[in-house]
Amino acid sequence: MPNIKSAKKRVAISKANYERNKANRSDLRTAIKKADIAIDTKAADANEVVKVAVTKIDQAANKGLLHKNNAARKKSALVKRLNANA
């Protein structure tokens, strides 16, 4: 355990950031999984679900959860699968 006041603050901030990133990462993964399921089942609203997933990916990249190239790759793969199954 830290003894210095500033180190204690950093531990608290680090924990808060970890929890926030964990929640954002979970939302991102859920959106991608929903999009995958919608594409596989050829759902009527697949375009809408993929659009939501792409938005979540962009937000994750802006927040620093994903590298911009990783985000671009994920978006490209989703849209490519959507177009192939359409």
Side-chain angles (χ1 to χ4, degrees):
M1 278 307 286
N3 294 324
I4 298 170
K5 186 176 180 181
S6 62
K8 290 178 184 178
K9 287 181 184 179
R10 286 305 309 166
V11 167
I13 291 169
S14 178
K15 184 176 181 185
N17 289 342
Y18 170 76
E19 293 297 331
R20 183 172 52 249
N21 287 338
K22 187 175 173 184
N24 289 336
R25 207 169 26 246
S26 175
D27 288 343
L28 172 66
R29 288 178 181 154
T30 302
I32 292 172
K33 284 179 186 175
K34 284 182 181 178
D36 286 338
I37 291 169
I39 291 170
D40 290 340
T41 60
K42 298 183 179 178
D45 64 339
N47 283 332
E48 314 288 326
V49 177
V50 169
K51 190 181 287 189
V52 169
V54 167
T55 303
K56 291 274 187 187
I57 292 170
D58 283 334
Q59 288 172 349
N62 287 336
K63 290 177 182 177
L65 289 175
L66 293 176
H67 188 274
K68 65 176 187 169
N69 292 350
N70 187 304
R73 191 177 74 244
K74 287 183 186 297
K75 291 190 301 186
S76 175
L78 265 180
V79 174
K80 191 174 181 180
R81 284 187 58 224
L82 178 66
N83 291 337
N85 287 343

